[in-house]
């Protein structure tokens, strides 16, 4: 049975706290994950990107910001079934400012591929749970070069033999900005490796499709149902946390799509 999760937001925590929603998983991230076990001792968790402003293409990424030690600590505290990480970036050092921006020069595609794969192999040997790699949303500026192309994503997953966290909104944004129909983009991704799916509503802004984490529209549900027919994920995460009524409606519809009641 596919489990249902929601990404960690203040509103989501409030609704869990007062018993308005129940989830198979609360998906936590970064330093906010530290308070989750004490606040919700009986809530199962997923852990996504425990380190922010961090790049797998950094030659010393396991030690940068104590990434490996921090990940190990959070995994122990949260007792998660797996760890998911962004497949990024095309610079060794990055900083988020509306989108990820490079703080160091652009690397070559070969260097990015080799370093990411080498780092992931070491990470896998040191982490006690499976690692999932998430596709990103292409943005111009130098941090997202190469890494959003479906062939690059597939090659990293094949080389490292890792599972895939498919973010459908990220795929839509990347496909649009790379000039590809979304179904053509998705068809080049390794569906057989999908173990988790992220869903949220992208939006058009100034002529560009952006990863807005808005509510899902009918077209988003159609695409999700199409992907579910071709994959076998263990969990689907809704990345939304703006309006309580909208969140409850989204969860109800997603439960219908996934065909189950949350435990």
């Amino acid at each position: 049975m596919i489990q249902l999760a929601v990404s960690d937001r203040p509103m989501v925590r409030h609704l869990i706290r007062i018993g308005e929603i129940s989830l198979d998983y609360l998906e936590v991230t970064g330093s906010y994950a530290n308070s989750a076990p004490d606040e919700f001792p009986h809530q199962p968790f997923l852990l996504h990107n425990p380190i922010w402003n961090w790049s797998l293409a950094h030659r010393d990424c396991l030690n940068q910001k104590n990434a490996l030690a921090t990940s190990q600590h959070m995994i122990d505290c949260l007792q998660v079934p797996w760890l998911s990480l962004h497949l990024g970036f095309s610079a060794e050092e990055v900083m988020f400012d509306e989108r990820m921006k490079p703080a160091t020069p652009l690397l070559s595609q070969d260097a990015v591929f080799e370093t990411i794969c080498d780092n992931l192999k070491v990470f896998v040997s040191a982490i006690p749970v499976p690692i999932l790699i998430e596709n990103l949303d292409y943005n111009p500026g130098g941090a997202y070069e190469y890494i959003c192309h479906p062939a690059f994503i597939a090659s990293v997953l094949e080389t490292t033999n890792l599972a895939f966290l498919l973010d459908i909104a990220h795929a839509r944004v990347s496909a649009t900005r790379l000039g590809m129909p979304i179904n053509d983009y998705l068809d080049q991704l390794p569906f057989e490796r999908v173990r988790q799916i992220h869903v949220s509503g992208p939006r058009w802004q100034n002529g560009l499709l952006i990863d807005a984490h808005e509510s899902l529209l009918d077209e988003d549900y159609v695409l999700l149902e199409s992907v579910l027919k071709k994959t076998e994920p263990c969990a689907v995460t809704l990345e939304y946390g703006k309006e309580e009524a909208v969140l409850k409606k989204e969860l109800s519809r997603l439960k219908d799509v996934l065909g189950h009641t949350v435990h």
Side-chain angles (χ1 to χ4, degrees):
M1 180 174 292
I2 301 173
Q3 305 294 289
L4 180 58
V6 176
S7 57
D8 191 10
R9 300 288 192 278
M11 184 193 75
V12 174
R13 289 200 182 196
H14 170 69
L15 292 174
I16 296 174
R17 196 180 299 115
I18 65 175
E20 288 290 316
I21 60 172
S22 61
L23 307 170
D24 291 317
Y25 292 111
L26 175 65
E27 185 164 309
V28 296
T29 180
S31 59
Y32 293 117
N34 292 324
S35 63
D38 290 336
E39 188 169 358
F40 305 108
H42 304 297
Q43 172 67 57
F45 301 103
L46 297 177
L47 178 58
H48 182 55
N49 290 321
I51 309 298
W52 293 340
N53 295 328
W54 175 79
S55 174
L56 276 169
H58 194 291
R59 285 166 290 183
D60 194 30
C61 82
L62 279 72
N63 294 313
Q64 185 192 25
K65 301 187 177 184
N66 295 317
L68 181 57
T70 298
S71 299
Q72 290 169 324
H73 173 71
M74 288 187 178
I75 288 168
D76 289 341
C77 290
L78 296 164
Q79 294 295 296
V80 294
W82 59 76
L83 167 68
S84 58
L85 301 171
H86 282 160
L87 175 58
F89 287 86
S90 51
E92 281 199 315
E93 297 183 15
V94 291
M95 182 64 66
F96 188 81
D97 180 12
E98 295 186 352
R99 63 180 183 272
M100 206 64 82
K101 296 180 179 178
T104 53
L106 176 69
L107 300 168
S108 71
Q109 180 169 336
D110 288 345
V112 171
F113 181 83
E114 181 177 357
T115 305
I116 286 177
C117 290
D118 288 347
N119 283 331
L120 284 173
K121 289 174 182 177
V122 177
F123 227 105
V124 167
S125 68
I127 292 293
V129 295
I131 293 176
L132 277 57
I133 298 301
E134 182 188 24
N135 61 300
L136 288 167
D137 51 317
Y138 180 79
N139 287 277
Y144 297 82
E145 303 309 316
Y146 329 123
I147 62 169
C148 296
H149 288 265
F152 186 92
I153 297 166
S155 293
V156 169
L157 293 172
E158 177 69 25
T159 300
T160 58
N161 196 30
L162 292 181
F164 187 22
L165 194 175
L166 171 59
D167 189 306
I168 297 178
H170 286 178
R172 286 189 60 194
V173 171
S174 292
T176 299
R177 297 195 178 190
L178 295 172
M180 301 174 62
I182 181 57
N183 288 325
D184 290 353
Y185 184 94
L186 289 171
D187 284 346
Q188 296 181 51
L189 296 175
F191 277 175
E192 72 279 4
R193 293 185 180 272
V194 173
R195 295 296 175 269
Q196 185 182 352
I197 293 172
H198 277 181
V199 291
S200 65
R203 292 292 188 270
W204 289 95
Q205 185 178 97
N206 299 324
L208 293 174
L209 191 64
I210 65 168
D211 182 37
H213 286 191
E214 291 287 352
S215 59
L216 298 172
L217 303 177
D218 286 343
E219 63 197 73
D220 299 308
Y221 282 102
V222 169
L223 193 55
L224 171 61
E225 293 188 45
S226 173
V227 168
L228 288 173
K229 291 177 181 178
K230 303 174 184 178
T231 60
E232 297 182 355
C234 297
V236 171
T237 298
L238 173 64
E239 294 188 299
Y240 178 82
K242 296 182 179 180
E243 297 182 29
E244 293 184 7
V246 174
L247 176 65
K248 292 176 184 178
K249 181 179 178 181
E250 299 282 25
L251 288 175
S252 177
R253 186 166 177 181
L254 282 170
K255 289 175 187 177
D256 289 340
V257 171
L258 300 182
H260 82 297
T261 301
V262 176
H263 303 305

